[in-house]
Amino acid sequence: MSADAQGSGTEDVHKYVPMYMAHNAKTMQFARAGLAAISGSAAGILGLKNLYGFAFYAVNWVLISFLLLAIKTQFKPHLFFKGGAKDIFTDGFIGGLLSYILFHTFLYGLVHLYQ
Amino acid sequence: MATLGEAKQMILDPAIRDWVLLPIMVVMLLVGVLRHHITVLITGTPKKPQLKAVRESKALMRGSQLRAFRNAIPPHAFASRKAFLTEAYDQGKYLKNPNAPKEGVPAPNPMTDPDMMEGMMEGMKKQVTNMVPQMLIMGWINFFFQGFVVIKLPFPLTLRFKSMLQSGVDTRDMDVTWVSSLSWYFLNLFGLSSVFTLILGDNNGNILYILGLHHYNEPIY
């Protein structure tokens, strides 16, 4: 199955049930949302500045992507996402970054800016 | 180029935090939750599709599924299915209205088709519930908090971002990383999506939903 699913083209559409795909995407989105909020807050409280903040996000992103890959999909991403591992590592990166920036800024401001 | 050094440090009054920074965030959160519930309320139950229309689309889907799984069934089974479906399609057995003339008829005007109108109205309703609260909040911030500097970004930016981050504050020499109240609103608008995902579930967090743009890039299965 996983080997078949890698093929491209419109006919593959029938191999995935839209309802389940939507559920998978939602589960992943939920994990991502948690990551953005929590890691952003952590970075803000730690007082990370400049590029360290973004590096922290990148590290966390890779970490949680790997955890999703290992635990949620048991290293068989093609059973869960049309794009396979690529989907897990790229989907929602920018949206998560926006949330991360908000929480980073917010907590940084509360902890380190206002006295 | 000045760095984020202590020399340029401004001290913000804690009252600004209590009366501007936090209220904007809390109000935006609550409005987001309210918007979600209003959307749920005014979205009627989806209209039941006509039986014939369902039959037509299912027949088409059956054909494409047969094509997709052609390798999964024996050749003779495939051949007989193919023959059956081809004949049915040729005769128009599953068409919604088989008596309609075959070609040369222009597509019906969507404005006159009641089904289409209904769908458009649904979309409009959602768009309005999405846009109106955002404009109200923007007006509220502009009216009460214009010109407040509320927070500082923890990373440096180029001068190009000055107009974006300090809208409403006209100072030439202030560091780019200081954020005005209106820009804090925009940060919230784009950043709170993950919070909405966490507390409301579904696709509410999607910024496209908040802006009412989600119709434009729905995946087609």
Side-chain angles (χ1 to χ4, degrees):
Chain A
M1 169 76 198
S2 63
D4 288 350
Q6 285 185 33
S8 58
T10 51
E11 314 221 323
D12 274 344
V13 164
H14 295 290
K15 291 172 185 165
Y16 295 98
V17 183
M19 210 170 64
Y20 295 157
M21 300 303 293
H23 178 76
N24 291 342
K26 219 162 82 179
T27 310
M28 188 166 79
Q29 203 190 7
F30 195 81
R32 296 277 193 244
L35 168 86
I38 295 171
S39 65
S41 306
I45 294 169
L46 288 172
L48 298 180
K49 267 189 186 177
N50 304 346
L51 281 179
Y52 292 110
F54 294 105
F56 188 70
Y57 179 67
V59 167
N60 275 306
W61 177 268
V62 171
L63 186 71
I64 197 128
S65 296
F66 183 77
L67 284 179
L68 282 171
L69 185 69
I71 295 170
K72 296 302 270 185
T73 73
Q74 309 280 347
F75 291 108
K76 291 177 200 132
H78 282 290
L79 294 183
F80 297 86
F81 299 102
K82 243 178 240 163
K86 193 191 120 265
D87 271 14
I88 297 183
F89 277 92
T90 56
D91 265 14
F93 184 79
I94 299 298
L97 186 62
L98 287 171
S99 293
Y100 176 84
I101 288 177
L102 173 71
F103 278 91
H104 188 186
T105 309
F106 183 56
L107 266 294
Y108 179 83
L110 285 192
V111 176
H112 296 276
L113 197 61
Y114 289 97
Q115 267 105 23
Chain B
M1 178 74 199
T3 53
L4 296 168
E6 295 298 316
K8 285 215 144 191
Q9 191 73 356
M10 273 200 300
I11 306 293
L12 294 181
D13 192 343
I16 292 182
R17 172 192 61 197
D18 297 344
W19 295 101
V20 181
L21 185 74
L22 291 175
I24 290 176
M25 200 173 188
V26 170
V27 164
M28 290 200 64
L29 250 181
L30 293 181
V31 167
V33 175
L34 191 69
R35 182 185 56 80
H36 168 71
H37 287 295
I38 288 177
T39 312
V40 169
L41 268 182
I42 68 166
T43 307
T45 48
K47 205 161 157 277
K48 252 189 179 171
Q50 289 173 315
L51 181 65
K52 289 272 176 75
V54 174
R55 196 179 65 169
E56 185 180 315
S57 68
K58 291 291 173 193
L60 278 178
M61 195 190 280
R62 197 173 158 194
S64 67
Q65 277 189 334
L66 178 65
R67 204 171 60 227
F69 295 108
R70 61 194 177 274
N71 294 329
I73 53 175
H76 62 90
F78 175 72
S80 67
R81 279 170 173 76
K82 187 179 139 198
F84 172 76
L85 279 177
T86 317
E87 197 194 335
Y89 288 156
D90 276 344
Q91 292 175 359
K93 263 188 196 171
Y94 297 121
L95 285 184
K96 191 160 57 174
N97 40 353
N99 299 325
K102 268 195 173 167
E103 274 167 47
V105 182
N109 187 358
M111 282 301 173
T112 55
D113 189 354
D115 283 1
M116 292 290 281
M117 271 308 267
E118 196 104 333
M120 279 164 74
M121 278 307 287
E122 284 290 312
M124 292 277 277
K125 265 199 268 180
K126 273 180 194 152
Q127 210 132 338
V128 167
T129 52
N130 286 331
M131 291 306 286
V132 166
Q134 299 304 338
M135 285 164 74
L136 282 180
I137 298 177
M138 231 167 116
W140 170 65
I141 291 171
N142 257 335
F143 188 77
F144 285 104
F145 306 129
Q146 194 168 29
F148 277 78
V149 172
V150 292
I151 207 165
K152 189 181 178 188
L153 289 177
F155 46 85
L157 287 172
T158 53
L159 274 176
R160 209 173 283 254
F161 288 91
K162 197 169 171 69
S163 59
M164 201 174 90
L165 282 167
Q166 293 175 2
S167 46
V169 185
D170 296 326
T171 43
R172 220 153 39 86
D173 296 334
M174 197 162 56
D175 198 31
V176 193
T177 52
W178 291 97
V179 178
S180 75
S181 54
L182 195 60
S183 304
W184 174 241
Y185 159 80
F186 280 112
L187 267 182
N188 273 287
L189 178 65
F190 291 106
L192 279 180
S193 55
S194 74
V195 181
F196 290 136
T197 308
L198 289 176
I199 60 179
L200 299 176
D202 284 343
N203 259 323
N204 278 291
N206 200 331
I207 181 66
L208 295 175
Y209 274 75
I210 293 171
L211 298 179
L213 297 173
H214 58 284
H215 300 292
Y216 301 117
N217 64 349
E218 257 166 18
I220 299 155
Y221 288 108

